[in-house]
Coordinates of all heavy atoms in Angstrom, one line a residue:
V1 N -10.4 -10.9 21.5 CA -9.3 -10.4 20.8 C -8.7 -11.3 19.8 O -8.3 -12.5 20.1 CB -8.3 -10.0 21.9 CG1 -7.1 -9.4 21.3 CG2 -8.9 -9.0 22.8
Q2 N -8.5 -10.8 18.6 CA -7.9 -11.6 17.5 C -6.4 -11.3 17.6 O -5.9 -10.2 17.6 CB -8.4 -11.3 16.3 CG -7.9 -12.3 15.1 CD -8.6 -11.8 13.8 OE1 -9.3 -10.9 13.7 NE2 -8.3 -12.6 12.8
T3 N -5.6 -12.4 17.6 CA -4.1 -12.2 17.6 C -3.7 -12.5 16.0 O -4.3 -13.3 15.4 CB -3.4 -13.2 18.5 OG1 -3.7 -14.4 18.3 CG2 -3.7 -12.7 19.9
C4 N -2.5 -12.0 15.8 CA -1.9 -12.2 14.4 C -0.6 -13.0 14.5 O 0.1 -12.8 15.4 CB -1.7 -10.9 13.8 SG -1.0 -11.2 12.2
A5 N -0.5 -14.0 13.7 CA 0.6 -14.9 13.7 C 1.8 -14.4 13.2 O 3.0 -14.8 13.5 CB 0.3 -16.3 13.1
L6 N 1.7 -13.4 12.4 CA 2.9 -12.7 11.7 C 3.4 -11.5 12.6 O 2.6 -10.8 13.1 CB 2.5 -12.2 10.4 CG 2.1 -13.2 9.4 CD1 1.6 -12.4 8.1 CD2 3.2 -14.0 8.9
P7 N 4.7 -11.5 12.6 CA 5.4 -10.4 13.4 C 5.1 -9.1 12.4 O 4.8 -9.3 11.3 CB 6.8 -10.7 13.4 CG 7.0 -11.8 12.5 CD 5.7 -12.5 12.2
I8 N 5.1 -7.8 13.0 CA 5.0 -6.6 12.4 C 5.7 -6.5 11.1 O 5.2 -6.0 10.0 CB 5.0 -5.4 13.3 CG1 4.5 -4.1 12.6 CG2 6.5 -5.2 13.6 CD1 3.0 -4.2 12.4
W9 N 7.0 -6.9 11.1 CA 7.9 -6.7 10.0 C 7.4 -7.5 8.7 O 7.5 -7.2 7.6 CB 9.3 -7.0 10.3 CG 9.7 -8.3 10.6 CD1 9.8 -8.7 12.0 CD2 9.9 -9.5 9.9 NE1 10.0 -10.1 12.1 CE2 10.2 -10.7 10.8 CE3 10.0 -9.7 8.6 CZ2 10.3 -11.8 10.4 CZ3 10.1 -11.1 8.1 CH2 10.4 -12.1 9.0
A10 N 6.8 -8.8 9.1 CA 6.4 -9.7 8.1 C 5.1 -9.1 7.5 O 4.9 -9.1 6.3 CB 6.2 -11.0 8.6
M11 N 4.2 -8.5 8.3 CA 3.0 -7.8 7.6 C 3.4 -6.6 6.8 O 2.8 -6.4 5.8 CB 2.2 -7.3 8.9 CG 1.4 -8.4 9.7 SD 0.2 -8.1 10.8 CE 1.3 -7.1 12.0
L12 N 4.4 -6.0 7.3 CA 4.8 -4.8 6.4 C 5.4 -5.2 5.0 O 5.2 -4.6 4.1 CB 5.9 -3.8 7.1 CG 5.2 -3.1 8.3 CD1 6.4 -2.3 9.1 CD2 4.2 -2.2 7.9
T13 N 6.1 -6.3 5.0 CA 6.8 -6.9 3.9 C 5.6 -7.4 3.0 O 5.7 -7.1 1.7 CB 7.5 -8.1 4.2 OG1 8.7 -7.6 5.0 CG2 8.2 -8.6 2.9
E14 N 4.6 -7.9 3.5 CA 3.5 -8.5 2.7 C 2.7 -7.2 2.2 O 2.2 -7.2 0.9 CB 2.4 -9.3 3.5 CG 3.0 -10.7 3.8 CD 3.4 -11.4 2.5 OE1 2.6 -11.5 1.5 OE2 4.6 -12.0 2.5
L15 N 2.5 -6.2 2.9 CA 1.8 -5.0 2.4 C 2.7 -4.3 1.3 O 2.1 -3.8 0.2 CB 1.7 -4.1 3.7 CG 1.1 -2.7 3.2 CD1 -0.2 -2.7 2.5 CD2 1.1 -1.8 4.4
A16 N 4.0 -4.3 1.5 CA 4.8 -3.7 0.5 C 4.7 -4.4 -0.8 O 4.5 -3.8 -1.9 CB 6.3 -3.7 1.0
K17 N 4.7 -5.8 -0.8 CA 4.5 -6.5 -2.0 C 3.2 -6.4 -2.6 O 3.1 -6.1 -3.8 CB 4.6 -8.0 -1.7 CG 6.1 -8.4 -1.4 CD 6.2 -9.9 -1.0 CE 7.4 -10.4 -0.5 NZ 7.4 -11.8 -0.1
Y18 N 2.1 -6.1 -1.7 CA 0.8 -6.1 -2.3 C 0.7 -4.7 -3.0 O 0.0 -4.6 -4.2 CB -0.3 -6.1 -1.1 CG -1.6 -5.8 -1.7 CD1 -2.3 -7.0 -2.4 CD2 -2.2 -4.7 -1.6 CE1 -3.7 -6.6 -2.9 CE2 -3.5 -4.4 -2.0 CZ -4.2 -5.5 -2.7 OH -5.5 -5.2 -3.3
L19 N 1.2 -3.6 -2.4 CA 1.1 -2.3 -3.1 C 1.9 -2.3 -4.4 O 1.3 -1.6 -5.4 CB 1.7 -1.2 -2.0 CG 0.8 -0.9 -0.8 CD1 1.7 0.1 -0.1 CD2 -0.4 -0.3 -1.3
R20 N 3.0 -2.9 -4.4 CA 3.7 -2.9 -5.7 C 2.9 -3.7 -6.8 O 2.9 -3.3 -7.9 CB 5.1 -3.5 -5.4 CG 6.0 -3.5 -6.7 CD 7.4 -3.9 -6.5 NE 8.1 -4.2 -7.6 CZ 8.6 -3.4 -8.4 NH1 8.5 -2.1 -8.2 NH2 9.3 -3.7 -9.5
K21 N 2.4 -4.8 -6.4 CA 1.6 -5.6 -7.3 C 0.4 -4.7 -7.7 O 0.0 -4.8 -8.9 CB 1.3 -6.9 -6.7 CG 0.4 -7.9 -7.6 CD 0.0 -9.2 -7.0 CE -0.7 -10.1 -7.9 NZ -1.5 -9.6 -8.9
L22 N -0.3 -4.2 -6.8 CA -1.5 -3.4 -7.2 C -1.1 -2.3 -8.2 O -1.8 -2.3 -9.3 CB -2.1 -2.9 -5.9 CG -3.2 -1.9 -6.0 CD1 -4.5 -2.6 -6.7 CD2 -3.6 -1.1 -4.8
R23 N 0.0 -1.6 -8.0 CA 0.4 -0.6 -8.9 C 0.6 -1.1 -10.2 O 0.3 -0.5 -11.2 CB 1.5 0.2 -8.2 CG 2.1 1.2 -9.1 CD 3.2 2.0 -8.4 NE 4.4 1.2 -8.1 CZ 5.3 0.9 -8.8 NH1 5.3 1.2 -10.2 NH2 6.3 0.2 -8.4
I24 N 1.5 -2.2 -10.2 CA 1.9 -2.7 -11.6 C 0.7 -3.3 -12.3 O 0.6 -3.1 -13.5 CB 3.0 -3.8 -11.3 CG1 4.4 -3.2 -10.9 CG2 3.2 -4.6 -12.6 CD1 5.4 -4.0 -10.3
D25 N -0.2 -3.9 -11.5 CA -1.4 -4.5 -12.2 C -2.2 -3.4 -12.9 O -2.9 -3.7 -13.8 CB -2.3 -5.4 -11.2 CG -1.7 -6.7 -10.9 OD1 -0.6 -7.1 -11.5 OD2 -2.1 -7.4 -9.9
K26 N -2.2 -2.2 -12.2 CA -2.9 -1.1 -12.7 C -2.3 -0.4 -13.8 O -2.7 0.6 -14.5 CB -3.3 -0.1 -11.7 CG -4.1 -0.7 -10.5 CD -5.6 -0.8 -10.9 CE -6.5 -1.3 -9.8 NZ -7.8 -1.6 -10.2
G27 N -1.1 -0.8 -14.3 CA -0.2 -0.2 -15.2 C 0.3 1.2 -14.8 O 0.5 2.1 -15.7
Q28 N 0.4 1.4 -13.5 CA 0.9 2.7 -13.1 C 2.5 2.7 -12.8 O 3.0 1.8 -12.2 CB 0.1 3.2 -11.9 CG -1.3 3.2 -12.2 CD -2.2 3.5 -10.8 OE1 -1.9 3.3 -9.8 NE2 -3.4 4.2 -11.2
R29 N 3.0 3.8 -12.9 CA 4.3 4.1 -12.5 C 4.3 4.5 -11.1 O 3.1 4.8 -10.5 CB 5.0 5.3 -13.3 CG 5.2 5.0 -14.7 CD 5.6 6.2 -15.5 NE 4.5 7.2 -15.3 CZ 4.7 8.5 -15.4 NH1 6.1 9.0 -15.7 NH2 3.9 9.4 -15.2
L30 N 5.3 4.5 -10.4 CA 5.4 5.0 -9.0 C 4.8 6.4 -8.8 O 4.0 6.6 -8.0 CB 6.8 4.8 -8.4 CG 7.0 4.9 -7.0 CD1 6.7 3.7 -6.2 CD2 8.4 5.4 -6.6
K31 N 5.1 7.2 -9.6 CA 4.7 8.5 -9.7 C 3.2 8.6 -9.9 O 2.5 9.4 -9.2 CB 5.4 9.5 -10.7 CG 4.9 11.0 -10.6 CD 5.8 11.9 -11.7 CE 5.3 13.2 -11.5 NZ 4.2 13.7 -10.9
D32 N 2.6 7.8 -10.8 CA 1.2 7.8 -10.9 C 0.4 7.5 -9.7 O -0.5 8.2 -9.3 CB 0.8 6.8 -12.0 CG 1.5 7.2 -13.3 OD1 1.7 8.3 -13.8 OD2 1.7 6.1 -14.1
M33 N 0.8 6.4 -9.0 CA 0.1 6.0 -7.7 C 0.3 7.0 -6.7 O -0.6 7.4 -5.8 CB 0.5 4.6 -7.2 CG -0.1 4.3 -6.0 SD 0.4 2.6 -5.3 CE -1.0 1.6 -5.9
A34 N 1.7 7.6 -6.6 CA 1.8 8.8 -5.5 C 0.9 9.9 -5.8 O 0.3 10.5 -4.8 CB 3.4 9.0 -5.7
D35 N 0.8 10.3 -7.0 CA -0.1 11.5 -7.4 C -1.4 11.1 -7.1 O -2.3 12.0 -6.3 CB -0.1 11.8 -8.9 CG 1.3 12.4 -9.4 OD1 2.1 12.9 -8.3 OD2 1.7 12.4 -10.5
I36 N -2.0 10.0 -7.3 CA -3.5 9.6 -6.9 C -3.6 9.6 -5.4 O -4.6 10.0 -4.9 CB -3.7 8.2 -7.5 CG1 -3.8 8.3 -9.0 CG2 -5.0 7.6 -6.8 CD1 -3.9 6.9 -9.8
L37 N -2.6 9.2 -4.7 CA -2.5 9.1 -3.2 C -2.2 10.4 -2.6 O -2.2 10.6 -1.3 CB -1.8 8.0 -2.7 CG -2.2 6.5 -3.1 CD1 -1.3 5.6 -2.6 CD2 -3.6 6.1 -2.6
D38 N -1.8 11.3 -3.3 CA -1.3 12.7 -2.8 C -0.2 12.6 -1.8 O -0.2 13.2 -0.7 CB -2.6 13.5 -2.3 CG -2.3 15.0 -2.1 OD1 -1.4 15.6 -2.9 OD2 -2.8 15.6 -1.2
I39 N 0.7 11.7 -2.2 CA 2.0 11.6 -1.4 C 3.2 11.8 -2.4 O 3.0 11.7 -3.6 CB 2.1 10.3 -0.6 CG1 2.0 9.1 -1.7 CG2 1.0 10.3 0.4 CD1 2.2 7.7 -0.9
S40 N 4.3 11.8 -1.8 CA 5.5 11.9 -2.7 C 5.9 10.5 -3.2 O 5.5 9.5 -2.6 CB 6.6 12.5 -1.8 OG 7.2 11.6 -0.9
S41 N 6.6 10.5 -4.4 CA 7.1 9.2 -4.8 C 8.0 8.7 -3.9 O 8.1 7.3 -3.8 CB 7.8 9.5 -6.2 OG 6.8 10.0 -7.2
A42 N 8.9 9.3 -3.2 CA 9.9 8.9 -2.4 C 9.1 8.2 -1.1 O 9.6 7.2 -0.7 CB 10.7 10.0 -1.7
N43 N 8.1 8.8 -0.6 CA 7.4 8.2 0.5 C 6.7 6.9 0.0 O 6.8 5.8 0.8 CB 6.2 9.1 0.9 CG 5.4 8.5 2.2 OD1 5.9 7.6 2.8 ND2 4.3 9.2 2.6
L44 N 6.1 6.8 -1.2 CA 5.6 5.5 -1.7 C 6.7 4.4 -1.9 O 6.5 3.4 -1.6 CB 4.7 5.8 -3.0 CG 4.0 4.5 -3.6 CD1 3.2 3.8 -2.6 CD2 3.5 5.0 -4.9
S45 N 7.8 5.0 -2.4 CA 8.8 4.0 -2.7 C 9.3 3.4 -1.3 O 9.6 2.1 -1.4 CB 10.0 4.8 -3.4 OG 11.1 3.9 -3.5
A46 N 9.5 4.2 -0.3 CA 9.9 3.6 1.0 C 8.9 2.7 1.6 O 9.3 1.6 2.1 CB 10.1 4.9 2.0
V47 N 7.6 3.0 1.3 CA 6.6 2.1 1.9 C 6.7 0.7 1.0 O 6.6 -0.4 1.6 CB 5.1 2.6 1.7 CG1 4.1 1.6 2.1 CG2 5.0 3.8 2.7
E48 N 6.7 0.8 -0.4 CA 7.0 -0.5 -1.2 C 8.1 -1.2 -0.8 O 8.2 -2.4 -1.0 CB 6.9 0.0 -2.6 CG 5.6 0.3 -3.1 CD 5.6 0.3 -4.6 OE1 6.7 0.2 -5.4 OE2 4.5 0.7 -5.4
N49 N 9.2 -0.6 -0.5 CA 10.3 -1.3 -0.1 C 10.6 -1.6 1.3 O 11.5 -2.1 1.8 CB 11.8 -0.4 -0.6 CG 11.8 -0.3 -2.0 OD1 11.9 -1.4 -2.6 ND2 11.7 0.9 -2.5
G50 N 9.4 -1.5 2.1 CA 9.5 -1.9 3.5 C 10.4 -1.1 4.5 O 10.6 -1.5 5.6
K51 N 10.8 0.2 4.0 CA 11.5 0.9 4.8 C 10.7 2.0 5.6 O 11.3 2.6 6.5 CB 12.4 1.7 3.9 CG 13.5 0.9 3.3 CD 14.5 1.6 2.3 CE 15.3 0.6 1.6 NZ 16.2 1.3 0.6
R52 N 9.5 2.1 5.3 CA 8.6 3.1 6.0 C 7.3 2.3 6.3 O 6.7 1.8 5.4 CB 8.5 4.4 5.3 CG 7.7 5.4 6.0 CD 7.7 6.8 5.3 NE 9.0 7.3 5.3 CZ 9.4 8.2 4.3 NH1 8.6 8.4 3.5 NH2 10.6 8.7 4.5
K53 N 6.7 2.7 7.4 CA 5.4 2.2 7.7 C 4.3 3.1 7.1 O 4.5 4.3 7.3 CB 5.2 2.0 9.3 CG 3.9 1.4 9.7 CD 3.9 1.2 11.1 CE 3.7 2.5 11.9 NZ 3.4 2.1 13.3
P54 N 3.3 2.7 6.4 CA 2.4 3.6 5.8 C 1.5 4.3 6.9 O 1.2 3.7 8.0 CB 1.5 2.7 4.9 CG 1.6 1.3 5.5 CD 3.0 1.2 6.2
Q55 N 1.2 5.4 6.6 CA 0.3 6.3 7.5 C -1.2 5.7 7.3 O -1.4 5.1 6.3 CB 0.2 7.7 7.2 CG 1.6 8.4 7.5 CD 2.1 8.3 8.9 OE1 1.2 8.8 9.6 NE2 3.2 8.1 9.2
Y56 N -1.9 5.8 8.3 CA -3.4 5.3 8.3 C -4.2 6.0 7.1 O -4.8 5.3 6.4 CB -4.0 5.6 9.6 CG -5.4 5.0 9.8 CD1 -5.7 3.7 9.9 CD2 -6.6 5.8 9.5 CE1 -6.9 3.2 9.9 CE2 -7.8 5.4 9.6 CZ -7.9 4.0 9.9 OH -9.3 3.5 9.9
K57 N -4.0 7.2 7.0 CA -4.7 8.1 5.9 C -4.2 7.4 4.5 O -5.2 7.2 3.6 CB -4.3 9.5 5.9 CG -5.1 10.2 4.7 CD -4.9 11.7 4.8 CE -5.6 12.4 3.6 NZ -6.0 11.7 2.5
M58 N -3.0 7.0 4.3 CA -2.6 6.4 3.1 C -3.2 5.1 2.9 O -3.7 4.9 1.7 CB -1.0 6.2 3.2 CG -0.5 5.5 1.9 SD 1.2 5.2 2.1 CE 1.6 4.2 0.6
M59 N -3.5 4.3 3.9 CA -4.2 3.0 3.7 C -5.6 3.3 3.4 O -6.2 2.7 2.5 CB -4.1 2.2 5.0 CG -2.6 1.9 5.3 SD -1.8 1.0 3.9 CE -2.8 -0.4 3.7
E60 N -6.2 4.3 4.0 CA -7.6 4.6 3.8 C -7.8 5.1 2.3 O -8.7 4.6 1.6 CB -8.2 5.7 4.7 CG -8.4 5.3 6.0 CD -9.0 6.5 6.8 OE1 -8.6 7.6 6.7 OE2 -9.9 6.2 7.7
D61 N -6.9 5.9 1.9 CA -6.9 6.3 0.3 C -6.7 5.2 -0.6 O -7.4 5.2 -1.7 CB -5.8 7.4 0.2 CG -6.1 8.7 0.9 OD1 -7.3 8.9 1.3 OD2 -5.2 9.5 1.0
I62 N -5.8 4.3 -0.3 CA -5.7 3.1 -1.1 C -6.9 2.3 -1.3 O -7.4 2.0 -2.3 CB -4.5 2.3 -0.7 CG1 -3.2 3.0 -0.9 CG2 -4.5 0.9 -1.4 CD1 -1.9 2.4 -0.1
I63 N -7.5 2.1 -0.1 CA -8.9 1.3 -0.1 C -10.0 2.0 -0.9 O -10.6 1.4 -1.8 CB -9.2 1.0 1.3 CG1 -8.3 0.1 2.1 CG2 -10.8 0.4 1.4 CD1 -8.5 0.0 3.5
S64 N -10.1 3.4 -0.7 CA -11.2 4.0 -1.4 C -10.8 4.4 -2.9 O -11.7 4.2 -3.7 CB -11.4 5.4 -0.5 OG -10.4 6.3 -0.7
K65 N -9.5 4.8 -3.2 CA -9.3 5.2 -4.5 C -9.2 4.1 -5.4 O -9.2 4.2 -6.7 CB -8.1 6.2 -4.4 CG -8.4 7.5 -3.8 CD -7.2 8.5 -3.7 CE -7.8 9.7 -3.0 NZ -6.8 10.7 -3.0
Y66 N -8.8 2.9 -4.9 CA -8.6 1.7 -5.8 C -9.8 0.7 -5.6 O -9.7 -0.4 -6.0 CB -7.2 1.1 -5.4 CG -6.1 1.8 -5.9 CD1 -5.4 2.8 -5.3 CD2 -5.6 1.6 -7.4 CE1 -4.4 3.6 -5.9 CE2 -4.7 2.4 -7.9 CZ -4.0 3.3 -7.1 OH -3.0 4.1 -7.7
H67 N -10.8 1.2 -4.9 CA -12.0 0.5 -4.8 C -11.8 -0.9 -4.3 O -12.2 -1.9 -5.1 CB -12.9 0.5 -6.1 CG -13.0 1.8 -6.6 ND1 -13.8 2.8 -6.0 CD2 -12.5 2.4 -7.7 CE1 -13.8 3.9 -6.7 NE2 -12.9 3.8 -7.7
L68 N -11.1 -1.1 -3.2 CA -10.7 -2.6 -2.8 C -11.9 -3.1 -2.0 O -12.5 -2.3 -1.2 CB -9.5 -2.5 -2.0 CG -8.2 -1.9 -2.6 CD1 -7.0 -2.1 -1.6 CD2 -7.9 -2.7 -3.8
N69 N -12.3 -4.4 -2.2 CA -13.3 -4.9 -1.5 C -12.6 -5.6 -0.1 O -11.5 -5.5 0.2 CB -14.0 -6.0 -2.3 CG -13.0 -7.1 -2.6 OD1 -12.1 -7.6 -1.9 ND2 -13.1 -7.7 -3.8
D70 N -13.5 -6.2 0.7 CA -13.1 -6.7 2.1 C -12.0 -7.7 1.8 O -11.0 -7.9 2.6 CB -14.3 -7.4 2.8 CG -15.2 -6.3 3.3 OD1 -14.8 -5.1 3.4 OD2 -16.3 -6.7 3.6
E71 N -11.9 -8.6 0.9 CA -10.9 -9.5 0.7 C -9.5 -9.0 0.3 O -8.5 -9.3 0.8 CB -11.3 -10.6 -0.3 CG -12.4 -11.6 0.1 CD -12.6 -12.6 -0.9 OE1 -11.8 -12.8 -1.9 OE2 -13.7 -13.2 -0.8
E72 N -9.6 -7.9 -0.5 CA -8.4 -7.2 -0.9 C -7.8 -6.4 0.2 O -6.6 -6.0 0.2 CB -8.6 -6.3 -2.2 CG -9.1 -7.3 -3.3 CD -9.5 -6.4 -4.5 OE1 -10.3 -5.6 -4.2 OE2 -9.1 -6.6 -5.6
Q73 N -8.6 -5.9 1.1 CA -8.2 -5.0 2.1 C -7.2 -5.9 3.2 O -6.4 -5.4 3.9 CB -9.2 -4.3 3.0 CG -10.1 -3.4 2.2 CD -11.3 -2.8 2.9 OE1 -11.2 -2.7 4.1 NE2 -12.3 -2.6 2.3

């Protein structure tokens, strides 16, 4: 069993930063990424701001739709 040194809130903060960076690096507005992921802009904004935990399907969609490799996942 592998343990993680970071508390859950720290992992969510890192994920939030990563999603925002990914979106900006792709030149996308919040609405653009939300449309690609088939979620609301409000939902994506809440995830990016660390106010909401992303759903598993959202994470799967980000990996597949943005063609992330193992290192980026």
